[in-house]
Short mmCIF file of all heavy atoms in Angstrom, two decimals:
data_model
loop_
_atom_site.label_atom_id
_atom_site.label_comp_id
_atom_site.label_asym_id
_atom_site.label_seq_id
_atom_site.Cartn_x
_atom_site.Cartn_y
_atom_site.Cartn_z
N VAL A 10 157.67 40.14 53.19
CA VAL A 10 158.24 39.60 54.42
C VAL A 10 159.58 38.97 54.04
O VAL A 10 159.64 38.11 53.15
CB VAL A 10 157.31 38.57 55.07
CG1 VAL A 10 157.97 37.94 56.29
CG2 VAL A 10 155.98 39.23 55.46
N GLU A 11 160.65 39.39 54.73
CA GLU A 11 162.00 38.97 54.36
C GLU A 11 162.83 38.67 55.60
O GLU A 11 162.52 39.15 56.69
CB GLU A 11 162.70 40.06 53.55
CG GLU A 11 161.91 40.59 52.37
CD GLU A 11 162.57 41.81 51.73
OE1 GLU A 11 163.82 41.90 51.78
OE2 GLU A 11 161.85 42.66 51.20
N ILE A 12 163.93 37.91 55.42
CA ILE A 12 164.90 37.82 56.49
C ILE A 12 165.66 39.14 56.54
O ILE A 12 165.78 39.83 55.52
CB ILE A 12 165.87 36.63 56.29
CG1 ILE A 12 166.60 36.71 54.95
CG2 ILE A 12 165.13 35.32 56.42
CD1 ILE A 12 167.68 35.64 54.76
N PRO A 13 166.17 39.55 57.71
CA PRO A 13 166.89 40.83 57.81
C PRO A 13 168.10 40.86 56.90
O PRO A 13 168.85 39.89 56.81
CB PRO A 13 167.28 40.90 59.29
CG PRO A 13 167.12 39.52 59.82
CD PRO A 13 166.06 38.85 59.00
N ALA A 14 168.29 42.00 56.23
CA ALA A 14 169.36 42.11 55.25
C ALA A 14 169.63 43.57 54.94
O ALA A 14 168.84 44.45 55.29
CB ALA A 14 168.98 41.37 53.97
N GLY A 15 170.74 43.81 54.27
CA GLY A 15 171.07 45.16 53.85
C GLY A 15 172.40 45.19 53.13
O GLY A 15 173.12 44.19 53.06
N LYS A 16 172.72 46.37 52.58
CA LYS A 16 173.96 46.49 51.82
C LYS A 16 175.17 46.63 52.75
O LYS A 16 175.04 47.06 53.90
CB LYS A 16 173.90 47.66 50.85
CG LYS A 16 173.99 49.04 51.45
CD LYS A 16 173.94 50.09 50.36
CE LYS A 16 174.08 51.50 50.96
NZ LYS A 16 175.42 51.77 51.50
N ILE A 17 176.31 46.24 52.23
CA ILE A 17 177.57 46.33 52.97
C ILE A 17 178.14 47.74 52.79
O ILE A 17 178.26 48.23 51.66
CB ILE A 17 178.57 45.28 52.46
CG1 ILE A 17 178.00 43.87 52.67
CG2 ILE A 17 179.90 45.42 53.16
CD1 ILE A 17 178.82 42.79 52.00
N ASP A 18 178.48 48.40 53.88
CA ASP A 18 179.05 49.75 53.82
C ASP A 18 180.51 49.70 53.37
O ASP A 18 181.18 48.67 53.52
CB ASP A 18 178.95 50.43 55.18
CG ASP A 18 177.53 50.79 55.56
OD1 ASP A 18 176.68 50.90 54.65
OD2 ASP A 18 177.25 50.97 56.76
N PRO A 19 181.03 50.80 52.82
CA PRO A 19 182.43 50.83 52.38
C PRO A 19 183.39 50.46 53.51
O PRO A 19 183.28 50.97 54.63
CB PRO A 19 182.63 52.29 51.95
CG PRO A 19 181.26 52.75 51.55
CD PRO A 19 180.32 52.06 52.50
N GLY A 20 184.31 49.54 53.24
CA GLY A 20 185.29 49.11 54.23
C GLY A 20 184.77 48.14 55.26
O GLY A 20 185.51 47.72 56.16
N GLU A 21 183.51 47.74 55.16
CA GLU A 21 182.88 46.86 56.13
C GLU A 21 182.93 45.41 55.63
O GLU A 21 182.70 45.14 54.45
CB GLU A 21 181.43 47.28 56.33
CG GLU A 21 180.70 46.61 57.47
CD GLU A 21 179.29 47.16 57.63
OE1 GLU A 21 178.62 47.41 56.60
OE2 GLU A 21 178.84 47.34 58.77
N SER A 22 183.21 44.48 56.52
CA SER A 22 183.20 43.07 56.15
C SER A 22 181.76 42.56 56.15
O SER A 22 180.91 43.09 56.88
CB SER A 22 184.05 42.24 57.12
OG SER A 22 183.40 42.14 58.38
N PRO A 23 181.46 41.51 55.38
CA PRO A 23 180.11 40.94 55.40
C PRO A 23 179.68 40.50 56.79
O PRO A 23 178.51 40.67 57.17
CB PRO A 23 180.21 39.76 54.44
CG PRO A 23 181.31 40.13 53.49
CD PRO A 23 182.30 40.88 54.34
N LEU A 24 180.60 39.95 57.57
CA LEU A 24 180.27 39.48 58.92
C LEU A 24 179.83 40.64 59.80
O LEU A 24 178.81 40.56 60.51
CB LEU A 24 181.47 38.76 59.53
CG LEU A 24 181.23 38.05 60.86
CD1 LEU A 24 180.27 36.89 60.69
CD2 LEU A 24 182.54 37.56 61.46
N VAL A 25 180.60 41.73 59.79
CA VAL A 25 180.25 42.91 60.59
C VAL A 25 178.93 43.51 60.11
O VAL A 25 178.07 43.90 60.91
CB VAL A 25 181.38 43.95 60.53
CG1 VAL A 25 180.94 45.27 61.16
CG2 VAL A 25 182.63 43.43 61.24
N ALA A 26 178.75 43.54 58.81
CA ALA A 26 177.51 44.08 58.24
C ALA A 26 176.32 43.24 58.66
O ALA A 26 175.23 43.77 58.93
CB ALA A 26 177.61 44.13 56.72
N GLY A 27 176.51 41.92 58.74
CA GLY A 27 175.43 41.04 59.15
C GLY A 27 174.95 41.32 60.56
O GLY A 27 173.74 41.39 60.81
N VAL A 28 175.89 41.49 61.48
CA VAL A 28 175.52 41.80 62.86
C VAL A 28 174.83 43.17 62.92
O VAL A 28 173.81 43.34 63.61
CB VAL A 28 176.76 41.78 63.78
CG1 VAL A 28 176.39 42.25 65.19
CG2 VAL A 28 177.37 40.39 63.82
N ARG A 29 175.38 44.14 62.20
CA ARG A 29 174.80 45.50 62.20
C ARG A 29 173.37 45.48 61.68
O ARG A 29 172.46 46.08 62.29
CB ARG A 29 175.66 46.43 61.35
CG ARG A 29 175.05 47.84 61.20
CD ARG A 29 175.93 48.75 60.37
NE ARG A 29 176.23 48.19 59.07
CZ ARG A 29 175.37 48.16 58.04
NH1 ARG A 29 174.13 48.62 58.19
NH2 ARG A 29 175.73 47.65 56.88
N GLU A 30 173.13 44.80 60.56
CA GLU A 30 171.79 44.76 59.98
C GLU A 30 170.81 44.03 60.90
O GLU A 30 169.66 44.43 61.04
CB GLU A 30 171.82 44.10 58.61
CG GLU A 30 172.45 44.94 57.52
CD GLU A 30 171.64 46.17 57.17
OE1 GLU A 30 170.43 46.22 57.51
OE2 GLU A 30 172.20 47.10 56.56
N LEU A 31 171.27 42.95 61.53
CA LEU A 31 170.42 42.23 62.47
C LEU A 31 170.01 43.13 63.62
O LEU A 31 168.83 43.17 64.01
CB LEU A 31 171.17 41.00 63.00
CG LEU A 31 170.41 40.11 63.99
CD1 LEU A 31 169.22 39.43 63.30
CD2 LEU A 31 171.34 39.08 64.61
N GLU A 32 170.96 43.88 64.15
CA GLU A 32 170.67 44.78 65.27
C GLU A 32 169.73 45.90 64.86
O GLU A 32 168.77 46.23 65.57
CB GLU A 32 171.98 45.35 65.83
CG GLU A 32 172.85 44.30 66.52
CD GLU A 32 174.16 44.87 67.01
OE1 GLU A 32 174.51 46.01 66.62
OE2 GLU A 32 174.84 44.19 67.79
N GLU A 33 170.01 46.53 63.71
CA GLU A 33 169.22 47.68 63.28
C GLU A 33 167.80 47.30 62.91
O GLU A 33 166.85 48.04 63.20
CB GLU A 33 169.90 48.36 62.08
CG GLU A 33 171.21 49.06 62.41
CD GLU A 33 171.88 49.65 61.19
OE1 GLU A 33 171.38 49.43 60.06
OE2 GLU A 33 172.91 50.32 61.36
N GLU A 34 167.62 46.16 62.26
CA GLU A 34 166.30 45.81 61.74
C GLU A 34 165.44 45.04 62.73
O GLU A 34 164.21 45.11 62.65
CB GLU A 34 166.44 45.01 60.44
CG GLU A 34 166.99 45.82 59.28
CD GLU A 34 166.75 45.16 57.94
OE1 GLU A 34 166.34 43.98 57.90
OE2 GLU A 34 166.97 45.83 56.91
N THR A 35 166.06 44.30 63.64
CA THR A 35 165.26 43.41 64.50
C THR A 35 165.38 43.69 65.99
O THR A 35 164.55 43.21 66.77
CB THR A 35 165.66 41.95 64.27
OG1 THR A 35 166.97 41.70 64.84
CG2 THR A 35 165.68 41.61 62.79
N GLY A 36 166.42 44.41 66.43
CA GLY A 36 166.63 44.60 67.86
C GLY A 36 167.34 43.44 68.52
O GLY A 36 167.54 43.43 69.74
N TYR A 37 167.73 42.44 67.73
CA TYR A 37 168.51 41.31 68.23
C TYR A 37 169.99 41.51 67.90
O TYR A 37 170.34 42.25 66.98
CB TYR A 37 168.06 39.99 67.58
CG TYR A 37 166.81 39.39 68.14
CD1 TYR A 37 165.60 39.48 67.45
CD2 TYR A 37 166.82 38.71 69.35
CE1 TYR A 37 164.44 38.90 67.95
CE2 TYR A 37 165.67 38.13 69.86
CZ TYR A 37 164.47 38.23 69.16
OH TYR A 37 163.33 37.65 69.67
N THR A 38 170.85 40.84 68.66
CA THR A 38 172.27 40.81 68.34
C THR A 38 172.77 39.38 68.52
O THR A 38 172.04 38.51 69.03
CB THR A 38 173.08 41.77 69.23
OG1 THR A 38 174.43 41.86 68.72
CG2 THR A 38 173.12 41.31 70.67
N THR A 39 174.00 39.14 68.08
CA THR A 39 174.57 37.80 68.19
C THR A 39 176.09 37.86 68.14
O THR A 39 176.67 38.80 67.57
CB THR A 39 174.06 36.89 67.06
OG1 THR A 39 174.57 35.57 67.25
CG2 THR A 39 174.52 37.40 65.70
N ASN A 40 176.72 36.85 68.71
CA ASN A 40 178.17 36.66 68.59
C ASN A 40 178.48 35.38 67.82
O ASN A 40 179.62 34.92 67.80
CB ASN A 40 178.82 36.57 69.98
CG ASN A 40 178.73 37.86 70.75
OD1 ASN A 40 178.95 38.93 70.20
ND2 ASN A 40 178.39 37.77 72.03
N GLU A 41 177.46 34.81 67.16
CA GLU A 41 177.61 33.49 66.57
C GLU A 41 177.19 33.42 65.10
O GLU A 41 176.61 32.44 64.66
CB GLU A 41 176.79 32.46 67.35
CG GLU A 41 177.20 32.32 68.81
CD GLU A 41 176.34 31.29 69.54
OE1 GLU A 41 175.56 30.58 68.87
OE2 GLU A 41 176.46 31.22 70.77
N LEU A 42 177.45 34.45 64.32
CA LEU A 42 177.10 34.38 62.91
C LEU A 42 177.97 33.35 62.20
O LEU A 42 179.19 33.39 62.31
CB LEU A 42 177.28 35.74 62.24
CG LEU A 42 176.12 36.74 62.31
CD1 LEU A 42 176.37 37.89 61.35
CD2 LEU A 42 174.79 36.08 62.00
N ASN A 43 177.34 32.48 61.45
CA ASN A 43 178.05 31.43 60.72
C ASN A 43 177.68 31.49 59.24
O ASN A 43 176.50 31.57 58.88
CB ASN A 43 177.69 30.06 61.29
CG ASN A 43 178.18 29.91 62.71
OD1 ASN A 43 179.32 29.57 62.96
ND2 ASN A 43 177.30 30.21 63.67
N PHE A 44 178.71 31.45 58.39
CA PHE A 44 178.52 31.59 56.95
C PHE A 44 177.79 30.38 56.37
O PHE A 44 178.10 29.23 56.69
CB PHE A 44 179.88 31.75 56.27
CG PHE A 44 179.80 31.87 54.78
CD1 PHE A 44 179.34 33.03 54.19
CD2 PHE A 44 180.18 30.82 53.97
CE1 PHE A 44 179.26 33.14 52.81
CE2 PHE A 44 180.11 30.91 52.59
CZ PHE A 44 179.65 32.08 52.01
N VAL A 45 176.81 30.66 55.49
CA VAL A 45 176.07 29.61 54.81
C VAL A 45 176.47 29.54 53.34
O VAL A 45 176.94 28.52 52.85
CB VAL A 45 174.54 29.84 54.92
CG1 VAL A 45 173.78 28.80 54.10
CG2 VAL A 45 174.10 29.79 56.38
N THR A 46 176.30 30.66 52.61
CA THR A 46 176.63 30.68 51.19
C THR A 46 176.61 32.12 50.69
O THR A 46 176.22 33.04 51.41
CB THR A 46 175.62 29.84 50.37
OG1 THR A 46 176.12 29.63 49.05
CG2 THR A 46 174.26 30.51 50.30
N SER A 47 177.04 32.31 49.46
CA SER A 47 176.92 33.59 48.76
C SER A 47 176.37 33.32 47.36
O SER A 47 176.68 32.27 46.77
CB SER A 47 178.27 34.29 48.63
OG SER A 47 178.83 34.59 49.89
N PHE A 48 175.57 34.25 46.84
CA PHE A 48 175.11 34.09 45.47
C PHE A 48 174.79 35.45 44.86
O PHE A 48 174.54 36.43 45.56
CB PHE A 48 173.89 33.16 45.38
CG PHE A 48 172.69 33.59 46.16
CD1 PHE A 48 171.78 34.52 45.65
CD2 PHE A 48 172.43 33.06 47.42
CE1 PHE A 48 170.67 34.90 46.38
CE2 PHE A 48 171.31 33.43 48.15
CZ PHE A 48 170.43 34.36 47.62
#
């Protein structure tokens, strides 16, 4: 069991990839993604 996630496509920003993965994996979308951290 995981939070929705996936790899970033070539030329894609992390923010755009985040919305895409959220939509594809969960059926939800958002206009309010906010950065937390990277590791």
Side-chain angles (χ1 to χ4, degrees):
V10 176
E11 309 172 30
I12 57 174
K16 73 179 182 68
I17 299 171
D18 290 339
E21 190 177 40
S22 71
L24 188 66
V25 171
V28 174
R29 175 179 55 76
E30 288 293 342
L31 181 67
E32 292 178 347
E33 291 177 355
E34 292 197 349
T35 72
Y37 281 104
T38 190
T39 184
N40 294 317
E41 299 179 9
L42 274 192
N43 295 276
F44 178 74
V45 175
T46 193
S47 299
F48 59 83

